[in-house]
Amino acid sequence: MSTRDSWRNSWGSGYAGGGGLAFGGTSAWGAGGGDTIFRVLSRTSERQSKRRSAVISGFSENGIYEEEDDWYSEHDVNIPPISKAEDWALMPDVKNYAERGEKDHLKSRKLGITWNNLTVKGVGSDAAFNENVISQFNIPQNIREARQGLPLNNIIENSHGCVKPGEMLLVLGRPGSGCTTLLKMLANRRNGYAQVDGDVHFGSMTAKEAQQYRGQIVMNTEEELFFPTLTVGQTMDFATRMKVPFHTFSDQHSHKDYQQEYRDFLLKSMGITHTSSTKVGNEFVRGVSGGERKRVSIIETLATRGTVFCWDNSTRGLDANTALQYTKAIRAMTDVTGMSSVVSLYQAGNGIYDLFDKVLILDGGKEIYYGPREQARPFMEELGFVCGDGANVADYLTGVTVPTERQIRQGFETSFPRTADEILADYSRTEIKAIMEKEYTYPQSDEAKENTKEFKEAIAYDKDRSLPKSSPLTVSFAKQVKACVIRQYQIVWGDKPTFIIKQFATLLQALIVGSLFYDASSDSAGLFTKSGALFFSLLYQALMALSEVTDSFAGRPVLAKHKAFAFFHPAAFCIAQIAADIPVLFFQVSQFSLVLYFMVSLRVSASAFFTYFVILFATAMCITAVMRAIGAVFSTFDGATKVSGFWFSALIVYTGYFIPKTQMHDWFVWVYWINPLAYGFEALMSNELHGQIIPCVNQNLIPNGPGYTNLAYQSCAGVPGAIQGAAFVTGDQYLQAYSYKHSHLWRNFGIIWAWWAFFVVLTIIATTNWKEMAGKSGFLLIPRENAKKNKQLLQNDEESQAKGKPASRGAMTLLDSSSSSMDEKTIENQLISNTSVFTWKNLTYTVKTPSGDRVLLDNVQGWVKPGMLGALMGSSGAGKTTLLDVLAQRKTEGTITGSILVDGRPLSVSFQRSAGYCEQLDVHEPTATVREALEFSALLRQPRDTPREEKLRYVDTIVNLLEMQDIEHTLVGRTGMGLSVEQRKRLTIGVELVAKPSILIFLDEPTSGLDGQAAFNTLRFLRKLAAVGQAVLVTIHQPSASLFKEFDTLLLLARGGKTVYFGDIGEEASTLKDYFARYGAPCPQDANPAEHMIDVVSGSASQGKDWNQIWLESPEHKEVSLEVDRIIKEAAAKPPGTSDDGHEFAMPLWQQIKLVTHRMNVALYRNTDYVNNKFALHIGSALFNGFTFWKIGNSVQELQLKLFTIFNFIFVAPGVINQLQPLFIDRRDIYEIREKKSKMYSWVAFVTGLIVSEFPYLCICAVLYFAPWYYTVGFPTDSNKSGAVFFVMLFYEFIYTGIGQFVAAYSPNAVFASLVNPAIITILVSFCGVLMPYAQIQEFWRYWLYYINPFNYLVSSILTFTVFDVEVHCKDSEFALFDTPNNQTCGEYLGPYRAGLGSRTNLINPEARSGCRVCQYRLGSDYLSTLNISDYVVGWRNAGIVVIFAISSYVMVYLFMKLRTKATKTAK
């Protein structure tokens, strides 16, 4: 038979008996149109008349092929109903909206997508190197690789297709095949890809023309990106507000009616109305279940009212019934509204598969089939691939290129196509392709042009009149801002703890600092105090603003998604943030000002106070805008923290407090002019000092004390601006000395707002230009040091088979049939078997909620025996994961009652490490290789008496068993850069298996996110484990019939954790089917029993019955109760199947510490971004500090500069801490989510590893700061002094790292930590004796807080080593200049004074009788005496105390980690 004849027959068979099946069933006959749900003109007559464009005719009623010219001839075909989803519950609602749209004569909104010769290339290769700290500096290697250029690889190759209005296309492919990339192209998201060739048309528009309609061409991605503290209702409220049309239905009174009706419809469409008041949540914020969160993601996408929808694996995490209802919803809306839907799915059941019109199959980016759904299976069967009875057709279609999955029909063993290229070649010769190509002229058709014209008119009609014609948005800018402002307040209110802590910290800081500068005097002694208080007012606002950088990255993914949905202009979001800032900062500045201003006794007048307040408020707004702009401009968090840390230091130094404007060097004075804090400081100073007369007192008045009362013979000293010979200084003279003027006050106020406006505009521009993630295809990361172990991954040949000639089809078949893995018997002999029985009885789990106690598990009972593979199923939110957590002893909150027993005995102390638990989230250390992750688990969790070599041999066994030999030396990485989803899942299972779990293995959703083949492989592997005697309990969402057959028992839960069934499944699920049939819910003959059970529990098949009550009254329930008791009794009478060694952890603490520290060392060694940023921040800060205080001399004022350059060294800490804490918290999350709960190692080992791994880099950081800074500022070059300074600097690195780590150890998240940092740093900075000299600190603080402050000892020790024996040379302007009474010599007149209070002053001309010149200090030690440093030995004493503080800061990390570590809950 010829190929042509064979295709005639296969096409005929596909249509025979069906009267002509419509693959495009609803495309052109879904005429109506309107907005995606609401506006439709569904005319049956149009639907029938346009039927020809949707049906592949070309077949007579008896199924025989006719000539091309007759393809579109009339056929007496049976017209199916309006939709394949006619039975969807909300179909009447959709039709009702259609009728309302028709009644209002609304234009249709139909486009369709057509693409041809589409090729997409990404940057990258199958594998890339991950550099380490040392290899990144291999210059010759870097040059060599740079010359080669970035490789481009094909992600999509020559794809083509057409989805007309009213059609649904199913895109199938294994992970990495390019499905997501194709959907992005069809959703017109091209950013980040290296090259896109080919044509994509939306209606008759090109991709470029369609860009202004991005809100109508939308994509739902796999990730669920939300603000976790918003409720579901608030999230949907916002989404629907943003898409309310300007003209609503004529029967609606207001836009609000439309919005509420639309929102309620969407919530109802996915069955989540009940979650409206529940937080959306995420991994760390408790909220709705994973399946419910996915449904929120779906309806948020539908809220766009789009015309073209692309859905990327949108059923992940949904149970089978919900997944089917979702697809029916999309089918119904597509049919009635004429929208075009492109859907990629993994593990699509046949019920879902049958709802589609067309199928497109990708394999490695190649389109191996595109055509009618009905013809996909016959096409593959004609090539020789067998589709088993009851198999998922979608899984069958993606498995044809996988040697281990496909089955070959007898007689085709030598001729079947083995590769994607060969299947593509066969497809290219078929009639299907020729027929499909006819559609590619659709964009040029009159129908497409008319549709596009009506679409544009409909969009313009919907759009608010105030928007530009080219705007993709719907509602007016004012409404966008209003909705964004409301949401911003909801976000703040949803995260009340953070808000309250921020305000409480502000009040506390104001009280503490107010008491530090308490009741400052109005003389020269109070000048420094008041300027310190004013400087601190600005400093605190800047420190609080630093958290904006962390915040910016937390919300960025959500904003990027909403931008793609055309919800709002980024400017609206930025303005909303500002609107939310105003009351928050107003309250923050108000409480800060009221407390600080009056405690310090600043100028008491209403005008002065309110001037202080408005300047402080303006500066707070401005500096918040600065940090937000930095967050917006940078694409990576590491880059933003590096710049924000450095910029923060620059702003502080160039405020004018540390170094006066007059002493700034030309090369950096520009920083002063662009510094909002500098303008604020000048304004605050002039507000406080203008018009004041300030008498000189104490050491600022020479001479003073008993006998010196005549001001005519006294002079001010050390007071800038004071006229020599005068005993007072005016405020304006003092200001003039700093180049300040009172006339600048309101000018500066205006400049601050100008800078604020500039940074707001910069933020808006940067936010508007945010790009999507780069379109790199997924690639493996190879550590540079493992390059030789991964040679096979670095080769360029795609097949990487045998070198030389390609194998023939016959030879390939032989390759398929032979197993490449090691002998299965050998592996099975090495796997550990289990003899323990695990039971749970009357298990109830209750948690406290704001509305009272909530029962999540209700009297659940069951068992798992050795060799048994048990399934735990239920609808989304039924409590499957909760039950698994409770059984595995993973819960730290709530109350558990009932019994959980192993061999009839209570759980031992070693239970958590003796049972394997594979979490749903694949949480791993991203910088570890696969083998390192497996070895780490094996070495720490296998018994301590097992030799190391034996543990590592077992790792080899598991690597072979999981078929991970080719990736064992690659990094885990992150999604897109590292292991694929399926490889990660295998690693998660492997990490638990290498521990040799002796009791049982729990797996939570091991197949979620996998394609059908990977899911089947995973289940087949678990079956293998059960076969060698292991007990396995699995939660599973959407098992196909073939997957479901692998299980022995089923525990079925309904909402609220109520049992619906527990017991054997039976051969072909016969036992289970019989049970439900007996109670009126028989399973249809061809239905997947797993999907049917879920439908019974939560779907249309439930018939309103209480299936939990039916179960409780059934004989099966009584049998289960008796069987549990019998199992417990029998097991308790026998010796236990597993022996408890009495150890909580398998390995002793010292071994844990060694292994964990090694892993942390390797992790940092490979984390070049983190290490480079730390180094860069130190080098940049040191150079900036050094050149700012370049070659300081030895005058009185320069002694102050030496103090400030040392003080400035402290400010390297905030930037590094802000970068360090997210890394610490990420590691802590990995530990707490998985490793702590499996008792892998102690929290002591975790903390030790994190601390010790930082040591080498901190030592390098100390050198990198010391070398560029110490010699640039002109400090002594003696090795005894420079060495001492380096010693202290080194230990400061340990101190601030310890501080950052102990704050992170107890913080719930990185944003919270970034808010706590300012409170700690400001207190330490305030009381270290710099902002306020020791003698002037209030007694309450002086005698304890000053002495427990590490910064005090740091600054004083460095100052001692660098200044103590320096000779002071006063500048002319610094001398106290006065005459003597009674013609006395200067020496005679000052004799009593120099013997007492002035003993440390330096009289230059003792013999003179007039014009006495007195310098305040002779030596540096004289200056240091005013700072509570009496002797050189104090420097070494304080250096020793710095070491003690370094140790104590690390002790605090242990303490806070211990306080955070909660014991898991056990059953009572």
Side-chain angles (χ1 to χ4, degrees), residues 915-929:
Y917 189 148
C918 298
E919 298 264 4
Q920 186 174 349
L921 299 169
D922 302 309
V923 179
H924 298 284
E925 168 56 56
T927 54
T929 65

Side-chain angles (χ1 to χ4, degrees), residues 1128-1369:
I1128 292 172
K1129 191 174 179 183
E1130 282 186 11
K1134 297 177 187 174
T1138 51
S1139 58
D1140 177 27
D1141 57 11
H1143 298 297
E1144 184 180 7
F1145 302 101
M1147 298 299 286
L1149 183 60
W1150 175 241
Q1151 291 297 324
Q1152 294 173 38
I1153 289 172
K1154 283 203 298 185
L1155 287 164
V1156 174
T1157 304
H1158 174 71
R1159 180 174 76 160
M1160 299 292 188
N1161 279 330
V1162 171
L1164 275 192
Y1165 180 63
R1166 289 175 180 157
N1167 192 344
T1168 51
D1169 279 350
Y1170 173 76
V1171 173
N1172 290 349
N1173 282 335
K1174 193 186 277 275
F1175 289 170
L1177 193 57
H1178 277 79
I1179 295 169
S1181 298
L1183 288 170
F1184 187 74
N1185 192 0
F1187 282 98
T1188 294
F1189 296 95
W1190 171 261
K1191 298 297 181 188
I1192 307 171
N1194 293 324
S1195 68
V1196 172
Q1197 198 162 9
E1198 285 170 324
L1199 290 177
Q1200 192 81 353
L1201 294 183
K1202 289 187 179 185
L1203 169 65
F1204 281 139
T1205 188
I1206 293 165
F1207 182 60
N1208 194 40
F1209 168 52
I1210 288 174
F1211 290 97
V1212 75
V1216 181
I1217 287 174
N1218 267 15
Q1219 183 205 3
L1220 166 147
Q1221 287 173 332
L1223 183 71
F1224 185 102
I1225 290 169
D1226 284 348
R1227 293 264 172 75
R1228 188 194 68 196
D1229 289 340
I1230 293 171
Y1231 171 67
E1232 290 185 338
I1233 288 170
R1234 185 168 59 82
E1235 295 167 342
K1236 182 184 87 170
K1237 291 175 180 176
S1238 58
K1239 298 291 181 184
M1240 192 179 280
Y1241 54 88
S1242 162
W1243 63 270
V1244 176
F1246 169 74
V1247 174
T1248 306
L1250 267 174
I1251 289 172
V1252 173
S1253 62
E1254 290 274 0
F1255 284 176
Y1257 305 101
L1258 295 178
C1259 294
I1260 295 169
C1261 283
V1263 173
L1264 293 178
Y1265 199 103
F1266 174 82
W1269 167 69
Y1270 185 85
Y1271 299 102
T1272 344
V1273 295
F1275 280 154
T1277 54
D1278 308 354
S1279 58
N1280 62 331
K1281 289 185 170 60
S1282 58
V1285 170
F1286 176 75
F1287 174 81
V1288 177
M1289 290 175 69
L1290 173 62
F1291 277 90
Y1292 174 62
E1293 295 286 338
F1294 299 145
I1295 288 174
Y1296 78 70
T1297 302
I1299 291 171
Q1301 288 181 332
F1302 82 64
V1303 169
Y1306 202 70
S1307 297
N1309 53 53
V1311 174
F1312 181 93
S1314 67
L1315 293 173
V1316 174
N1317 297 335
I1320 293 174
I1321 290 169
T1322 47
I1323 288 173
L1324 295 178
V1325 161
S1326 303
F1327 290 91
C1328 70
V1330 176
L1331 294 180
M1332 175 68 83
Y1334 171 77
Q1336 294 179 36
I1337 298 175
Q1338 296 297 320
E1339 286 87 347
F1340 176 75
W1341 302 114
R1342 190 191 306 164
Y1343 297 120
W1344 68 280
L1345 191 51
Y1346 174 82
Y1347 286 105
I1348 62 166
N1349 186 342
F1351 290 5
N1352 158 33
Y1353 299 100
L1354 167 78
V1355 173
S1356 61
S1357 56
I1358 296 178
L1359 202 56
T1360 303
F1361 298 137
T1362 54
V1363 172
F1364 193 85
D1365 49 10
V1366 166
E1367 286 189 12
V1368 179
H1369 303 289

